[in-house]
Amino acid sequence: MLKLFTAAGTCALASHITLEESGAPYEIARLDFAREDQRKPDYLAVNPKGRVPALATTQGVLTETPTILVYLAQLFPAAKLAPIDDAWALARVQSINSYLCSTVHVAHAHRSRGKRWADDDAVVEALKKKVGANMIDCFTLIEAEMLQGPWVMGDTFSVCDAYLFTVARWLDGDGVDIARFPKVAAHFKLMQARPAVQRVLAAYVAK
């Protein structure tokens, strides 16, 4: 059985939603970042990066959200979580997810993870001040170029939707009103209405 290592408020939510959408059996291992579970030896033996998500499979452990999402789509083709038989469409999925991972997530991380990039407290504070503007820039591009509607890839739900929903949940904390992006806001509401998303979010609240 697949086992996903996750933590509340992190990008691992996208993988959790995708697992739930797949309909396959899986196990969840929740880490508490406040207790620095991600830095403890037991977890570092699973993922030496000390981050989530990590997906334990029968063949080994996978990390990095874009990789896990496409792996799950390929592992459970009946769930139709990505256009795995269309090279161009799948490349677009990878392009969008890579942007969310390498650009949007990094822009957001400057708010609470500034010490990754600077030791100078003044620099860390300056990085925080740029988060809102940087997230606005990111979502302006997403609104205009990456969200075909009603789903990211058009008429069909895909792993991109789980990922976009996850990062869009960070906007409020970053000081950005999602309402300034009508297509993103509409997408957010569609995602909130999906039963799989509701089950996953309820599980975090129950925890």
Side-chain angles (χ1 to χ4, degrees):
M1 182 184 295
L2 296 169
K3 183 176 183 178
L4 179 69
F5 294 82
T6 182
T10 70
C11 63
L13 178 65
S15 297
H16 195 169
I17 290 172
T18 300
L19 274 168
E20 187 68 22
E21 292 277 0
S22 77
Y26 64 91
E27 179 183 353
I28 289 293
R30 290 188 178 85
L31 280 64
D32 186 341
F33 278 18
R35 299 186 308 184
E36 297 197 335
D37 287 349
Q38 75 276 23
R39 302 184 188 280
K40 294 178 180 177
D42 286 352
Y43 184 63
L44 292 176
V46 174
N47 180 10
K49 297 173 183 176
R51 300 185 186 181
V52 293
L55 182 69
T57 78
T58 56
Q59 295 172 288
V61 176
L62 291 173
T63 62
E64 305 302 332
T65 297
T67 296
I68 292 173
L69 296 184
V70 170
Y71 171 77
L72 292 174
Q74 293 174 318
L75 190 62
F76 305 111
K80 297 182 179 179
L81 298 171
I84 59 176
D85 296 325
D86 184 329
W88 171 255
L90 186 60
R92 287 193 60 248
V93 166
Q94 295 283 53
S95 177
I96 292 165
N97 286 348
S98 294
Y99 179 75
L100 295 176
C101 179
S102 66
T103 302
V104 185
H105 193 159
V106 173
H108 162 75
H110 281 78
R111 178 163 63 91
S112 57
R113 299 282 188 265
K115 290 291 186 180
R116 287 179 182 171
W117 295 279
D119 295 320
D120 188 320
D121 289 342
V123 174
V124 171
E125 289 303 312
L127 292 174
K128 288 181 182 180
K129 290 178 182 179
K130 282 286 291 179
V131 169
N134 287 339
M135 290 295 279
I136 288 171
D137 287 346
C138 290
F139 274 84
T140 297
L141 180 63
I142 291 167
E143 177 89 1
E145 304 292 341
M146 297 185 185
L147 179 49
Q148 294 186 28
W151 304 108
V152 173
M153 295 295 290
D155 295 329
T156 305
F157 175 88
S158 73
V159 295
C160 296
D161 297 295
Y163 205 177
L164 177 58
F165 175 72
T166 296
V167 298
R169 281 169 54 86
W170 299 337
L171 284 172
D172 185 59
D174 290 339
V176 180
D177 185 356
I178 195 173
R180 70 185 297 156
F181 308 108
K183 290 168 64 177
V184 174
H187 176 269
F188 195 83
K189 289 182 179 179
L190 277 177
M191 286 296 295
Q192 288 178 314
R194 290 185 74 85
V197 174
Q198 292 174 358
R199 289 193 297 270
V200 170
L201 293 180
Y204 282 94
V205 172
K207 180 64 176 178

